[in-house]
Amino acid sequence: DADTTWDALVAGVSGVRPFDRFPAGAARPANAAFVDGLDSGREETLVMQMLRPVVARHRHAIPRDAQLLLATTNGEIEHLERAVAGHAAAAEDSVPTVLAAKVQALAGLDRPAVVVSAACASSTVAIAEGAAMIRAGEQDCVLVVACDFVSEFVAAGFRSLGALAPDRARPFDRGRRG
């Protein structure tokens, strides 16, 4: 949550640590940021494990007529990865619109969600789109929900682009790598 993130930032505590959620290989990043308490062994996906408590905690403050913009690159791609690995899973449940419908129901919203999928810029684009909707008078309230996680698919894509740092990401450092 925001308070925990702020307290850790001020204390100099990083959420980045060695990554070991999926097997070692060319696609696995050396380090990644983690949300404590998530369990990849549960039936519920990591994305829903992240979203459920946040949305539920604020549901009372979300107007039912708010327009939901779901910012995600890969939705619940865990469903697809589980199906490919031969586990009981429906690959079609990985489609971002399925996740959008889940978040809409979780938030108790009346209107269908809009999915914004613009790779790493998804959340920024969704915020800009929501602000434009409000400025134009199209919407009184917009809820932007953004969520993705490090999957083998995403890690392989970043690795192929040479975008994974061999240690911790330092995007604004002159000596950055990856």
Side-chain angles (χ1 to χ4, degrees), residues 91-169:
E92 59 273 11
D93 287 345
S94 66
V95 178
T97 53
V98 173
L99 176 60
K102 287 181 183 179
V103 176
Q104 174 195 348
L106 187 61
L109 300 176
D110 294 332
R111 62 178 76 174
V114 174
V115 174
V116 177
S117 187
C120 296
S122 296
S123 58
T124 303
V125 170
I127 290 168
E129 181 64 25
M133 290 174 161
I134 292 170
R135 269 194 311 273
E138 297 170 10
Q139 302 296 331
D140 291 327
C141 181
V142 175
L143 173 63
V144 175
V145 174
C147 194
D148 275 311
F149 79 102
V150 178
S151 68
E152 290 188 65
F153 171 77
V154 170
F158 281 112
R159 172 78 65 196
S160 70
L161 292 170
L164 291 180
D167 49 10
R168 294 198 173 163

Side-chain angles (χ1 to χ4, degrees), residues 16-137:
V16 176
R17 58 184 180 256
F19 187 87
D20 62 358
R21 192 173 43 77
F22 51 80
R28 188 173 92 181
N31 296 288
F34 284 82
V35 176
D36 291 327
L38 303 182
D39 180 359
S40 60
R42 287 178 42 192
E43 186 175 328
E44 185 175 53
T45 64
L46 293 174
V47 168
M48 284 307 296
Q49 289 177 50
M50 286 185 274
L51 290 177
R52 184 175 304 287
V54 173
V55 174
R57 185 165 139 204
H58 298 286
R59 184 175 176 166
H60 69 280
I62 303 170
R64 290 189 61 84
D65 65 344
Q67 175 62 63
L68 171 63
L69 300 180
L70 176 68
T72 184
T73 301
N74 54 25
E76 289 181 282
I77 197 168
E78 281 175 274
H79 291 299
L80 178 60
E81 289 180 343
R82 289 173 182 175
V84 168
H87 302 292
E92 59 273 11
D93 287 345
S94 66
V95 178
T97 53
V98 173
L99 176 60
K102 287 181 183 179
V103 176
Q104 174 195 348
L106 187 61
L109 300 176
D110 294 332
R111 62 178 76 174
V114 174
V115 174
V116 177
S117 187
C120 296
S122 296
S123 58
T124 303
V125 170
I127 290 168
E129 181 64 25
M133 290 174 161
I134 292 170
R135 269 194 311 273

